[in-house]
Every structure is written in structure tokens, then in C-alpha cells.
Amino acid sequence: MGESCNHDCSGCGENCSSRTEEQTSFLEKLHPASSVKKVIGVVSGKGGVGKSLVTSLLAVKMNSKGFKTAILDADITGPSIPKAFGISSDVGMTQIDGASLMVPATSSTGIQIMSANLLLDNDTDPVIWRGPVIAGAVKQFWNETLWKDIDYMFVDMPPGTGDVPLTVFQSLPVDGIVIVTSPQELVSMIVGKAVNMAKKMDIPIVGIVENMSYLECPDCGKKIAVFGESHIDDVAAEYEIPVLAKIPIQPETARKVDEGSIEYLEETWLDEAAARLGM
């Protein structure tokens, strides 16, 4: 703290101890019985681009490489993660040192999952909550859940730059984000919003994934640009971030999600993403 300090950090560039304490004071602590080594946020600037699919595939990919993985479904009003994994069981409860902790559901291959849909009587019940309540639920999923020895936690965030992404960035020790997008003309603007929010929050960007990138003809193998030619490489170069994957439109993927067997989809699209995460 300098001699001229007026205790207003908003316009100060100094990296003093007071400023560091203020910046980190928003972080929510895990329960001492929990352990999470790395937190990766999966974000998108708009809805409908397959963010939950990419979250699921990343968790499955890292799990297959021997890491213990988990998914915190922060898309409270539109949770779809349990469906992809075929999970419908209720969240359990346990008592540790006098504290009641939620026990996440576990997929067939051992991925720990916490989602609002696991707390509802029916998975079609709407979650009609205001922003602060939703943000509070995300914090509870983090610090009131027993996360056992997690190497990688993937946080499936709602689209945009609203309350929940802000809560996650401020409250969880996010090590990096993966941006998900689709091949459309407005992609540069949408990606730009996610990139700029991450930069303002000082969150590292792992890279960008383009979903619905193309459709491969089953007869000749030709790649068809259903949504127009991809601009992802140009956008990635503009913002100096790597392209992690270009995921095709594939009926088998949709079928596995609908069946709740996303863990058994054989794919190599996210090998590069897994390699970067494991660095």
C-alpha cells in the first residue's frame, strides 16, 4: 500500500496486499472434505450452440485418460447434463463434522455430477428463480457438495455474460475457460463478448470449440457446411486463441445424448483439447 493510497482500488493499478485481498475475497471455499484441483468453465456468448454437449464430452475425454472428473451444472434454469448421462437419481446427503453436504450423482464411468435437475421432483419442472437465487445455488453446488478427489471439474455455464457466469468467475477458482460457438457470420461478435469478459475477469482462455461445424456425407465423405462456411480460424487468429476442435453434426451423437449414453460415444474431436488441458 502506497503512502498516497486512498483505499479506493477501483482506479488503482498497484498490486498491493490490500488489493489482492479484496480481489480474492469473493472466492467461495470448498468444504475441507472436498478436493478439486482444476476448474474449467465452458461458456458461450449465445444459446443453442452445444455448450452442454462439449462440457459432457470434455469430462468424458479427461475421465477416459485416467483423471477423476466432475461436472457442476451451473445452467440452473436449463440443466441438461443429467439427461446426457442417463442419470435420474436424487442427490444424496451426508453429515461431515456437523455439516450437511450434498453427495453428487455418479455416472456409470465414475464422473461426479451436480445439477438442479437432480433436485427436482420431475425433470420437466421449471426452475423459476431470480438471478441472486440462481447465483446462490451455484455457490452451494460448489461449497456444500462433497466433491471427492476431483482432478478436473467442468462447469457448464448458461449462455451470455449475466449473473451466473459472473458468479462463477468471482466465486470459483477458475483455471481457464473453453468457448463454444457455431459456424455463423455473427460468430466473431459472440466470441468477442466471451473473450472480453474473460479478459476483464482475468480468466485464462484454453481455446475455442466449434460445434455443428459440418456434416459428413455418409456415401462420399464430403464435408457439407450446413450453416455456411466456418469462420472459426479467422476469429481464433483475431483473438489469438487456439482452435481446440471442430465437432461435426452427427446423428450418432444426438442418439447417444437422447439415450443417456454420452460416455460411450467414440470420438477423437476433443483430443487436442484434452492435450491442452493436461499440459
mmCIF file of all heavy atoms in Angstrom, residues 191-216:
data_model
loop_
_atom_site.group_PDB
_atom_site.id
_atom_site.type_symbol
_atom_site.label_atom_id
_atom_site.label_comp_id
_atom_site.label_asym_id
_atom_site.label_seq_id
_atom_site.Cartn_x
_atom_site.Cartn_y
_atom_site.Cartn_z
ATOM 1 N N VAL A 191 -18.218 -14.486 -29.980
ATOM 2 C CA VAL A 191 -16.976 -14.931 -29.345
ATOM 3 C C VAL A 191 -16.286 -13.749 -28.661
ATOM 4 O O VAL A 191 -15.747 -13.879 -27.556
ATOM 5 C CB VAL A 191 -16.036 -15.581 -30.377
ATOM 6 C CG1 VAL A 191 -14.658 -15.819 -29.767
ATOM 7 C CG2 VAL A 191 -16.621 -16.883 -30.882
ATOM 8 N N GLY A 192 -16.348 -12.592 -29.303
ATOM 9 C CA GLY A 192 -15.725 -11.407 -28.740
ATOM 10 C C GLY A 192 -16.266 -11.060 -27.363
ATOM 11 O O GLY A 192 -15.518 -10.660 -26.462
ATOM 12 N N LYS A 193 -17.570 -11.225 -27.176
ATOM 13 C CA LYS A 193 -18.169 -10.943 -25.868
ATOM 14 C C LYS A 193 -17.596 -11.870 -24.794
ATOM 15 O O LYS A 193 -17.263 -11.436 -23.683
ATOM 16 C CB LYS A 193 -19.696 -11.108 -25.947
ATOM 17 C CG LYS A 193 -20.411 -10.028 -26.751
ATOM 18 C CD LYS A 193 -21.899 -10.277 -26.791
ATOM 19 C CE LYS A 193 -22.627 -9.241 -27.611
ATOM 20 N NZ LYS A 193 -22.585 -7.882 -27.016
ATOM 21 N N ALA A 194 -17.505 -13.164 -25.130
ATOM 22 C CA ALA A 194 -16.971 -14.131 -24.156
ATOM 23 C C ALA A 194 -15.500 -13.870 -23.871
ATOM 24 O O ALA A 194 -15.054 -13.935 -22.717
ATOM 25 C CB ALA A 194 -17.171 -15.552 -24.688
ATOM 26 N N VAL A 195 -14.743 -13.566 -24.917
ATOM 27 C CA VAL A 195 -13.309 -13.297 -24.751
ATOM 28 C C VAL A 195 -13.089 -12.063 -23.879
ATOM 29 O O VAL A 195 -12.276 -12.069 -22.948
ATOM 30 C CB VAL A 195 -12.625 -13.105 -26.115
ATOM 31 C CG1 VAL A 195 -11.211 -12.540 -25.944
ATOM 32 C CG2 VAL A 195 -12.569 -14.422 -26.870
ATOM 33 N N ASN A 196 -13.835 -11.006 -24.166
ATOM 34 C CA ASN A 196 -13.637 -9.761 -23.424
ATOM 35 C C ASN A 196 -14.059 -9.893 -21.964
ATOM 36 O O ASN A 196 -13.436 -9.302 -21.076
ATOM 37 C CB ASN A 196 -14.396 -8.623 -24.102
ATOM 38 C CG ASN A 196 -13.766 -8.230 -25.427
ATOM 39 O OD1 ASN A 196 -12.555 -8.326 -25.593
ATOM 40 N ND2 ASN A 196 -14.576 -7.809 -26.384
ATOM 41 N N MET A 197 -15.111 -10.680 -21.709
ATOM 42 C CA MET A 197 -15.499 -10.895 -20.312
ATOM 43 C C MET A 197 -14.399 -11.650 -19.574
ATOM 44 O O MET A 197 -14.041 -11.303 -18.444
ATOM 45 C CB MET A 197 -16.803 -11.676 -20.227
ATOM 46 C CG MET A 197 -17.261 -11.873 -18.778
ATOM 47 S SD MET A 197 -18.830 -12.731 -18.623
ATOM 48 C CE MET A 197 -19.141 -12.564 -16.856
ATOM 49 N N ALA A 198 -13.854 -12.686 -20.220
ATOM 50 C CA ALA A 198 -12.783 -13.467 -19.588
ATOM 51 C C ALA A 198 -11.573 -12.585 -19.300
ATOM 52 O O ALA A 198 -10.960 -12.696 -18.230
ATOM 53 C CB ALA A 198 -12.393 -14.633 -20.493
ATOM 54 N N LYS A 199 -11.241 -11.711 -20.231
ATOM 55 C CA LYS A 199 -10.091 -10.835 -20.029
ATOM 56 C C LYS A 199 -10.332 -9.859 -18.878
ATOM 57 O O LYS A 199 -9.446 -9.605 -18.060
ATOM 58 C CB LYS A 199 -9.777 -10.074 -21.321
ATOM 59 C CG LYS A 199 -9.159 -10.954 -22.398
ATOM 60 C CD LYS A 199 -8.826 -10.158 -23.650
ATOM 61 C CE LYS A 199 -8.146 -11.037 -24.702
ATOM 62 N NZ LYS A 199 -7.838 -10.269 -25.939
ATOM 63 N N LYS A 200 -11.542 -9.315 -18.809
ATOM 64 C CA LYS A 200 -11.857 -8.379 -17.729
ATOM 65 C C LYS A 200 -11.826 -9.062 -16.370
ATOM 66 O O LYS A 200 -11.496 -8.445 -15.355
ATOM 67 C CB LYS A 200 -13.227 -7.741 -17.972
ATOM 68 C CG LYS A 200 -13.232 -6.706 -19.090
ATOM 69 C CD LYS A 200 -14.581 -6.031 -19.225
ATOM 70 C CE LYS A 200 -14.540 -4.962 -20.306
ATOM 71 N NZ LYS A 200 -15.849 -4.257 -20.437
ATOM 72 N N MET A 201 -12.188 -10.346 -16.353
ATOM 73 C CA MET A 201 -12.185 -11.099 -15.100
ATOM 74 C C MET A 201 -10.853 -11.790 -14.856
ATOM 75 O O MET A 201 -10.690 -12.516 -13.877
ATOM 76 C CB MET A 201 -13.309 -12.144 -15.116
ATOM 77 C CG MET A 201 -14.705 -11.566 -15.321
ATOM 78 S SD MET A 201 -15.191 -10.412 -14.029
ATOM 79 C CE MET A 201 -15.240 -11.485 -12.609
ATOM 80 N N ASP A 202 -9.902 -11.588 -15.789
ATOM 81 C CA ASP A 202 -8.555 -12.162 -15.673
ATOM 82 C C ASP A 202 -8.602 -13.693 -15.623
ATOM 83 O O ASP A 202 -7.915 -14.325 -14.824
ATOM 84 C CB ASP A 202 -7.840 -11.609 -14.444
ATOM 85 C CG ASP A 202 -6.332 -11.820 -14.502
ATOM 86 O OD1 ASP A 202 -5.799 -11.923 -15.630
ATOM 87 O OD2 ASP A 202 -5.692 -11.900 -13.442
ATOM 88 N N ILE A 203 -9.418 -14.277 -16.513
ATOM 89 C CA ILE A 203 -9.546 -15.728 -16.608
ATOM 90 C C ILE A 203 -8.837 -16.210 -17.881
ATOM 91 O O ILE A 203 -9.154 -15.728 -18.978
ATOM 92 C CB ILE A 203 -11.024 -16.165 -16.667
ATOM 93 C CG1 ILE A 203 -11.793 -15.616 -15.465
ATOM 94 C CG2 ILE A 203 -11.128 -17.683 -16.738
ATOM 95 C CD1 ILE A 203 -11.384 -16.184 -14.136
ATOM 96 N N PRO A 204 -7.902 -17.143 -17.786
ATOM 97 C CA PRO A 204 -7.222 -17.646 -18.988
ATOM 98 C C PRO A 204 -8.195 -18.359 -19.940
ATOM 99 O O PRO A 204 -9.146 -19.005 -19.488
ATOM 100 C CB PRO A 204 -6.193 -18.640 -18.424
ATOM 101 C CG PRO A 204 -6.038 -18.267 -16.986
ATOM 102 C CD PRO A 204 -7.365 -17.744 -16.549
ATOM 103 N N ILE A 205 -7.957 -18.230 -21.229
ATOM 104 C CA ILE A 205 -8.784 -18.899 -22.241
ATOM 105 C C ILE A 205 -8.011 -20.098 -22.780
ATOM 106 O O ILE A 205 -6.940 -19.940 -23.366
ATOM 107 C CB ILE A 205 -9.156 -17.941 -23.384
ATOM 108 C CG1 ILE A 205 -9.932 -16.733 -22.827
ATOM 109 C CG2 ILE A 205 -9.975 -18.665 -24.443
ATOM 110 C CD1 ILE A 205 -10.168 -15.642 -23.849
ATOM 111 N N VAL A 206 -8.542 -21.296 -22.574
ATOM 112 C CA VAL A 206 -7.890 -22.516 -23.051
ATOM 113 C C VAL A 206 -7.969 -22.577 -24.564
ATOM 114 O O VAL A 206 -7.012 -22.933 -25.256
ATOM 115 C CB VAL A 206 -8.544 -23.775 -22.434
ATOM 116 C CG1 VAL A 206 -7.855 -25.042 -22.949
ATOM 117 C CG2 VAL A 206 -8.468 -23.721 -20.914
ATOM 118 N N GLY A 207 -9.136 -22.230 -25.129
ATOM 119 C CA GLY A 207 -9.318 -22.269 -26.568
ATOM 120 C C GLY A 207 -10.789 -22.236 -26.926
ATOM 121 O O GLY A 207 -11.655 -22.051 -26.069
ATOM 122 N N ILE A 208 -11.058 -22.443 -28.211
ATOM 123 C CA ILE A 208 -12.413 -22.356 -28.723
ATOM 124 C C ILE A 208 -12.800 -23.644 -29.449
ATOM 125 O O ILE A 208 -11.972 -24.248 -30.139
ATOM 126 C CB ILE A 208 -12.550 -21.128 -29.649
ATOM 127 C CG1 ILE A 208 -13.992 -20.937 -30.110
ATOM 128 C CG2 ILE A 208 -11.605 -21.226 -30.839
ATOM 129 C CD1 ILE A 208 -14.202 -19.600 -30.797
ATOM 130 N N VAL A 209 -14.032 -24.076 -29.252
ATOM 131 C CA VAL A 209 -14.564 -25.270 -29.904
ATOM 132 C C VAL A 209 -15.718 -24.851 -30.807
ATOM 133 O O VAL A 209 -16.634 -24.152 -30.359
ATOM 134 C CB VAL A 209 -15.066 -26.301 -28.869
ATOM 135 C CG1 VAL A 209 -15.789 -27.455 -29.567
ATOM 136 C CG2 VAL A 209 -13.903 -26.832 -28.042
ATOM 137 N N GLU A 210 -15.668 -25.267 -32.048
ATOM 138 C CA GLU A 210 -16.779 -25.011 -32.963
ATOM 139 C C GLU A 210 -17.642 -26.263 -33.048
ATOM 140 O O GLU A 210 -17.175 -27.322 -33.470
ATOM 141 C CB GLU A 210 -16.259 -24.634 -34.350
ATOM 142 C CG GLU A 210 -17.379 -24.314 -35.332
ATOM 143 C CD GLU A 210 -16.859 -23.896 -36.688
ATOM 144 O OE1 GLU A 210 -16.337 -24.768 -37.417
ATOM 145 O OE2 GLU A 210 -16.967 -22.698 -37.010
ATOM 146 N N ASN A 211 -18.888 -26.138 -32.640
ATOM 147 C CA ASN A 211 -19.835 -27.249 -32.725
ATOM 148 C C ASN A 211 -20.690 -27.089 -33.984
ATOM 149 O O ASN A 211 -20.826 -25.991 -34.511
ATOM 150 C CB ASN A 211 -20.731 -27.266 -31.477
ATOM 151 C CG ASN A 211 -21.586 -28.520 -31.408
ATOM 152 O OD1 ASN A 211 -21.149 -29.596 -31.796
ATOM 153 N ND2 ASN A 211 -22.809 -28.386 -30.937
ATOM 154 N N MET A 212 -21.245 -28.203 -34.471
ATOM 155 C CA MET A 212 -22.047 -28.206 -35.706
ATOM 156 C C MET A 212 -21.241 -27.646 -36.876
ATOM 157 O O MET A 212 -21.751 -26.922 -37.716
ATOM 158 C CB MET A 212 -23.345 -27.429 -35.505
ATOM 159 C CG MET A 212 -24.227 -28.006 -34.411
ATOM 160 S SD MET A 212 -25.754 -27.082 -34.117
ATOM 161 C CE MET A 212 -25.116 -25.642 -33.236
ATOM 162 N N SER A 213 -19.969 -27.977 -36.892
ATOM 163 C CA SER A 213 -19.047 -27.395 -37.859
ATOM 164 C C SER A 213 -19.348 -27.817 -39.293
ATOM 165 O O SER A 213 -19.242 -27.010 -40.225
ATOM 166 C CB SER A 213 -17.613 -27.791 -37.488
ATOM 167 O OG SER A 213 -16.686 -27.150 -38.311
ATOM 168 N N TYR A 214 -19.733 -29.080 -39.452
ATOM 169 C CA TYR A 214 -20.009 -29.599 -40.788
ATOM 170 C C TYR A 214 -20.781 -30.908 -40.674
ATOM 171 O O TYR A 214 -20.901 -31.493 -39.592
ATOM 172 C CB TYR A 214 -18.709 -29.838 -41.560
ATOM 173 C CG TYR A 214 -17.774 -30.812 -40.872
ATOM 174 C CD1 TYR A 214 -17.846 -32.190 -41.116
ATOM 175 C CD2 TYR A 214 -16.825 -30.365 -39.961
ATOM 176 C CE1 TYR A 214 -17.006 -33.086 -40.456
ATOM 177 C CE2 TYR A 214 -15.978 -31.239 -39.309
ATOM 178 C CZ TYR A 214 -16.076 -32.594 -39.557
ATOM 179 O OH TYR A 214 -15.253 -33.481 -38.905
ATOM 180 N N LEU A 215 -21.294 -31.351 -41.798
ATOM 181 C CA LEU A 215 -21.957 -32.648 -41.904
ATOM 182 C C LEU A 215 -21.204 -33.480 -42.925
ATOM 183 O O LEU A 215 -20.958 -33.020 -44.037
ATOM 184 C CB LEU A 215 -23.419 -32.476 -42.334
ATOM 185 C CG LEU A 215 -24.208 -33.758 -42.644
ATOM 186 C CD1 LEU A 215 -24.422 -34.572 -41.376
ATOM 187 C CD2 LEU A 215 -25.550 -33.416 -43.282
ATOM 188 N N GLU A 216 -20.807 -34.678 -42.533
ATOM 189 C CA GLU A 216 -20.056 -35.528 -43.449
ATOM 190 C C GLU A 216 -20.999 -36.469 -44.180
ATOM 191 O O GLU A 216 -21.772 -37.204 -43.557
ATOM 192 C CB GLU A 216 -19.014 -36.335 -42.680
ATOM 193 C CG GLU A 216 -18.086 -37.131 -43.591
ATOM 194 C CD GLU A 216 -16.929 -37.757 -42.832
ATOM 195 O OE1 GLU A 216 -16.291 -37.045 -42.037
ATOM 196 O OE2 GLU A 216 -16.691 -38.960 -43.045
#
